[in-house]
Amino acid sequence: MAARTSEVPQPTRANGEDQLGLLIGGKVIETSDVFAVHDPAAPHDVVGTAACASPAHAVEAIEAATSAWKSWSGLDPERRAARVLEALEALDDDHQERVDLLVRENGKVRPEADVELGVFAWRCELAAGLAPELRNVRDFPPLGERPNVELARSGERPRMRRFMAPPFRSTVTAVPLGVVTIIVPYNWPLAIAAASLPYALVAGDTVIVKPPPTAPLCMMKTLELFASRLPPGVVNVVSGTNDAVAPLVTDRRVRHVVFTGSTATGKHIMRMAAENVTGVTLELGGNDPAIVLEDAELDDGAIQRLVSACFMTSGQVCMGTKRIYVHRSRFSELAGAMTDVLARYRVGHGLARDTTMGPLNNAGQRDFVRMLVDEARASGAEVRELGSISDECTGSGGYFLRPTLVLDPRRDLRIVTEEQFGPAVPILPFDDVDPLVEQLNDEWSGLCSSVWTSDPERAADLASRLRTGTTWVNNANAVAQDDRAPFGGFRMSGFGRELGIDGLLALTEPHTITYPG
């Protein structure tokens, strides 16, 4: 989309521009080196500036977190949980201002931003409620007499004999890891951070958060408020270039790294962490399929859920539906129903009341999605670009794309095989679900999937056969996420789990103590 003039647009300051510093050891640190954060709906507008750390700042944050860990890890789990809940009280006063800030830097519509800040608080409350789980002690009493295989001489059968097992007693407890680095993407930064941040705190770890460079401001402001109610150094925030903050992964005092983002970057994080055998939790890309069976109920509610599953946050959700496989007998019906809904979409600035879908967060992602759609169109697939872009945003230079359906593309096209992470979704007919399941289970992606059918038994059977970290029935995406359950992926969609008891224990280490009987 063309800029307003033929000249290169100069950055302009938005009203109430925010300038955020690093948070290290309870202090806000301003730096001479800063970077601008732009509004993706109007990229010539600067929403605010964020401090750009140096490697020395990253090391300082590690030192602050290491120092704070000694006392924080010594608190009872319930006391740590209570402190997390007390910290949430600091977020009450300027909620609406931070919602607007998130819209302006991220591009999502205002209702989504409002929900995101609510999810941050909700996940903190869930983590706090799990604190008693850390008091569970697994106890292994002394064993009595048990069989043992006596080694046989050559050519003889092994002989069994009885012996008295050593009378040991062992206990296993979950102990804090230490310093944890959390690296967050731009799409749902606060919600994603809250999948691990409060769990690490309740577990007894101290944390350093690396915000996303294109949408750091709301996170930095929120965590600054949140950390103000916690001991200095328990929560630190360091923004900047990848090279500058590399110590947050490579320093031996960092005992775990939680990363959410692309598979390629996740591999790089693994290589960096391997130097010190640092633990990692990786929530990576997902080319998540929806399987719509011939008996699926495709009423208005179901179609709206499917559209939302695909186009929430302009398609920029890791757990969102990226492709739809529908039984051939329902293909035209489904494509037509989704077309009708998307035709009414209004694409524009996320703060506008009548906006249904905002821009993509950055030009690179917009261009990538546009390229995938152009490839599909050139191959002969039918492409339906739907909805309209608001007049106010025409000529703004914003990263807007209309919601797009790509009908029955070739299966080898990248719109099918790669995660597009944008508002363009292929719809593909199938005849037999069994080979489709085999195909999906053999692909690189294994984050999420969904099954759409009116038969509960068939749904349970098919869901149990899909090798993805989460499978939803007749719904999908964040609106269907049960935050009490663990979340993560199979295969190249990552490993490790966040949320729930599994996510809490993943940020501890099991410690075995063995006593004589």
Side-chain angles (χ1 to χ4, degrees):
M1 190 176 294
R4 287 173 177 156
T5 69
S6 58
E7 298 177 357
V8 177
Q10 296 300 309
T12 57
R13 291 181 180 273
N15 292 333
E17 177 184 310
D18 289 275
Q19 302 185 43
L20 280 300
L22 311 175
L23 179 63
I24 299 176
K27 298 179 180 178
V28 177
I29 298 176
E30 296 183 357
T31 62
S32 57
D33 189 7
V34 299
F35 61 93
V37 180
H38 298 261
D39 185 339
H44 54 281
D45 287 342
V46 176
V47 178
T49 57
C52 193
S54 67
H57 288 126
V59 171
E60 186 180 349
I62 295 167
E63 291 170 348
T66 302
S67 178
W69 182 78
K70 296 175 184 178
S71 57
W72 181 253
S73 62
L75 297 177
D76 289 338
E78 290 83 359
R79 182 54 187 151
R80 294 193 295 259
R83 295 298 300 270
V84 168
L85 295 178
E86 291 166 8
L88 283 179
E89 297 174 1
L91 305 183
D92 293 337
D93 293 339
D94 66 344
H95 174 87
Q96 297 305 328
E97 289 81 358
R98 285 182 290 113
V99 167
D100 289 352
L101 178 59
L102 181 57
V103 172
R104 290 163 52 219
E105 65 176 339
N106 174 279
K108 64 177 61 186
V109 294
R110 200 173 191 282
E112 287 184 5
D114 193 33
V115 167
E116 177 163 359
L117 267 65
V119 170
F120 180 87
W122 165 242
R123 288 181 169 177
C124 287
E125 292 169 359
L126 285 176
L130 293 174
E133 297 290 337
L134 296 171
R135 289 194 176 277
N136 290 339
V137 177
R138 285 178 285 165
D139 190 52
F140 299 90
L143 292 172
E145 188 177 82
R146 65 178 182 179
N148 186 49
V149 176
E150 184 177 281
L151 296 178
R153 300 194 201 106
S154 176
E156 295 182 359
R157 292 172 60 87
R159 295 188 299 275
M160 300 294 293
R161 65 181 176 86
R162 312 293 293 185
F163 82 108
M164 292 301 295
F168 298 141
R169 179 176 67 87
S170 295
T171 61
V172 181
T173 56
V175 300
L177 281 170
V179 177
V180 173
T181 292
I182 301 173
I183 303 173
V184 184
Y186 63 77
N187 56 332
W188 279 72
L190 283 164
I192 290 172
S196 52
L197 170 64
Y199 292 86
L201 297 180
V202 171
D205 306 323
T206 52
V207 173
I208 307 168
V209 178
K210 162 68 167 62
T214 59
L217 302 176
C218 182
M219 165 166 283
M220 295 172 78
K221 180 169 282 191
T222 299
L223 294 185
E224 182 181 327
L225 292 168
F226 184 76
S228 69
R229 303 287 182 93
L230 296 170
V234 170
V235 173
N236 307 272
V237 184
V238 178
S239 54
T241 66
N242 292 338
D243 289 342
V245 303
L248 302 184
V249 178
T250 59
D251 192 291
R252 66 176 183 82
R253 291 168 294 183
V254 174
R255 294 315 310 144
H256 200 88
V257 177
V258 180
F259 171 79
T260 302
S262 71
T263 297
T265 305
K267 292 179 181 179
H268 181 62
I269 295 290
M270 283 185 69
R271 287 191 290 268
M272 295 172 67
E275 185 66 26
N276 291 310
V277 198
T278 301
V280 293
T281 298
L282 302 177
E283 197 268 90
L284 306 179
N287 194 16
D288 306 347
I291 301 177
V292 182
L293 300 178
E294 68 273 17
D295 65 350
E297 189 166 328
L298 298 180
D299 58 11
D300 290 346
I303 293 299
Q304 189 58 60
R305 291 194 301 275
L306 197 49
V307 167
S308 178
C310 296
F311 294 96
M312 176 186 292
T313 319
S314 304
Q316 300 168 113
V317 186
C318 58
M319 64 179 71
T321 298
K322 308 301 195 310
R323 49 194 169 144
I324 300 172
Y325 291 91
V326 57
H327 192 272
R328 192 175 301 275
S329 64
R330 309 295 297 277
F331 177 82
S332 297
E333 177 188 358
L334 176 65
M338 291 186 68
T339 296
D340 290 344
V341 172
L342 293 169
R344 298 191 295 270
Y345 262 45
R346 186 170 176 82
V347 182
H349 199 291
L351 290 178
R353 289 182 180 274
D354 60 350
T355 294
T356 314
M357 191 178 81
L360 279 82
N361 177 257
N362 57 80
Q365 194 60 37
R366 177 205 58 191
D367 294 344
F368 176 69
V369 176
R370 182 181 285 163
M371 176 181 64
L372 297 184
V373 172
D374 288 345
E375 285 181 355
R377 182 185 287 111
S379 75
E382 180 183 352
V383 174
R384 297 179 181 177
E385 296 184 68
L386 303 161
S388 60
I389 298 176
S390 66
D391 293 339
E392 294 79 5
C393 293
T394 301
S396 69
Y399 309 132
F400 297 105
L401 289 178
R402 293 156 61 199
T404 300
L405 298 177
V406 180
L407 303 185
D408 197 12
R410 286 202 333 254
R411 303 314 194 252
D412 61 342
L413 290 175
R414 289 195 294 171
I415 191 69
V416 178
T417 62
E418 297 186 20
E419 179 184 23
Q420 71 275 40
F421 213 65
V425 175
I427 303 179
L428 306 104
F430 73 89
D431 297 298
D432 185 349
V433 74
D434 291 330
L436 174 60
V437 170
E438 291 185 15
Q439 169 208 318
L440 296 175
N441 287 344
D442 193 44
E443 293 178 345
W444 68 270
S445 168
L447 188 59
C448 299
S449 57
S450 61
V451 175
W452 301 72
T453 174
S454 59
D455 185 340
E457 292 185 5
R458 196 176 183 195
D461 174 70
L462 185 54
S464 68
R465 293 160 54 196
L466 287 166
R467 299 287 296 165
T468 58
T470 297
T471 300
W472 292 290
V473 175
N474 295 331
N475 211 341
N477 211 329
V479 296
Q481 173 67 23
D482 188 343
D483 284 350
R484 300 167 300 175
F487 182 79
F490 292 3
R491 299 185 295 281
M492 294 180 73
S493 288
F495 58 81
R497 292 296 182 265
E498 297 177 286
L499 299 173
I501 295 172
D502 300 75
L504 177 66
L505 294 179
L507 295 168
T508 67
E509 292 185 294
H511 183 209
T512 300
I513 303 176
T514 300
Y515 306 89

